Amino acid sequence: MNRGKFITLEGVEGVGKSTNLSYLTDYLAAANIPFVVTREPGGTPLAEEIRAMVLAPRDEPVAPLAELLMVFAARAQHIEQFIVPHLDAGTWVVSDRFTDATYAYQGCGRGIDTAAILELERLVQGAMQPDLTLYLDCPPEIGMARADARAALDRIETAGMDFMNRVRAGYLARISQYPQRFVTIDASVALPQVKAQLIAALDARIGSLL
Ligand code: Z5A
């Protein structure tokens, strides 16, 4: 049996990850590829509890290092209890965010040294990396306007526009570091055009993952 593949979706707030995730899962279902969908932080009961702790608005300032360690604690649980067992069983795993988000948010956003993130990444993941990362790109003002229109903001969403611009710069740096793994989709345009780019990317990349 072939091991499953690991696909991640990334982007700034409100860029349309949830919306595009449904296009991706429709595509995998039509191709008869067995898959599960998950998210980070989260994906297991314990990791979802950590997610709630990370995102809850609170009066007490959260130390960037505490935020980083919570995200990796959730990831360690998620990898061991959910991601690896599914991949081992031949099921593809689609995750709404993974470690690229840590480099973007805790690294570029909060200013934590990349070396510290790399050390935790090696400890928690070993050599494990996504097989394909779909990065939805759009200026944070557009994404935040979409997110604002939708629901109450969580703690990280209230960090401000300078923070979100650093996050986007962090993603773009990851893409230039790992150009083979990433596909960048312009998510600033109307949804049908975003969907068309996504489907074209999947047509080009899924065959080589099978
Ligand atoms: N985080 C972190 O700090 N470190 C880490 O390591 C990890 C995560 C893994 C949870 O993320 C938070 O955790 C996140 C980073 C941090 N920061 N925050 N906050 P999340 O992914 O669960 O939450 P999110 O980024 O805020 O995602 P979201 O709000 O669910 O947005 P989305 O999924 O990208 O967007 P959407 O719900 O699909 O679309 C938003 C709205 O825009 C909706 O009404 C759509 O219909 C509309 N939309 C989407 N696309 C378009 C286009 N193209 N045109 C017009 N309207 C559109």
Side-chain angles (χ1 to χ4, degrees), residues 42-164:
T44 81
L46 172 57
E48 288 290 331
E49 281 184 39
I50 299 171
R51 176 191 177 92
M53 283 167 43
V54 172
L55 297 183
R58 57 183 81 238
D59 294 332
E60 177 188 6
V62 176
L65 200 51
E67 191 173 276
L68 176 73
L69 292 170
M70 284 191 280
V71 164
F72 268 111
R75 183 163 300 135
Q77 184 72 7
H78 190 207
I79 289 172
E80 185 177 307
Q81 294 296 316
F82 188 91
I83 299 176
V84 167
H86 281 294
L87 295 176
D88 284 348
T91 305
W92 290 33
V93 175
V94 175
S95 185
D96 186 341
R97 298 191 187 280
F98 194 61
T99 307
D100 294 308
T102 312
Y103 283 95
Y105 283 81
Q106 281 66 51
C108 290
R110 300 291 192 211
I112 294 177
D113 193 349
T114 302
I117 302 177
L118 186 61
E119 212 169 316
L120 286 169
E121 180 184 24
R122 287 191 177 137
L123 177 69
V124 169
Q125 293 169 227
M128 178 189 177
Q129 292 294 334
D131 296 290
L132 173 66
T133 298
L134 302 164
Y135 171 67
L136 299 169
D137 187 50
C138 98
E141 311 83 66
I142 297 181
M144 287 302 287
R146 291 177 189 162
D148 281 354
R150 187 206 47 193
L153 298 183
D154 64 43
R155 189 177 57 82
I156 294 178
E157 283 170 333
T158 58
M161 203 51 77
D162 286 350
F163 175 85
M164 292 307 166

Side-chain angles (χ1 to χ4, degrees), residues 159-200:
M161 203 51 77
D162 286 350
F163 175 85
M164 292 307 166
N165 279 311
R166 291 198 299 279
V167 168
R168 185 188 190 197
Y171 276 122
L172 298 178
R174 294 288 289 167
I175 292 165
S176 53
Q177 204 177 350
Y178 301 102
Q180 304 299 329
R181 173 162 65 82
F182 279 93
V183 170
T184 301
I185 291 163
D186 177 4
S188 65
V189 294
L191 257 179
Q193 292 164 258
V194 179
K195 182 178 182 181
Q197 294 175 68
L198 181 83
I199 300 299

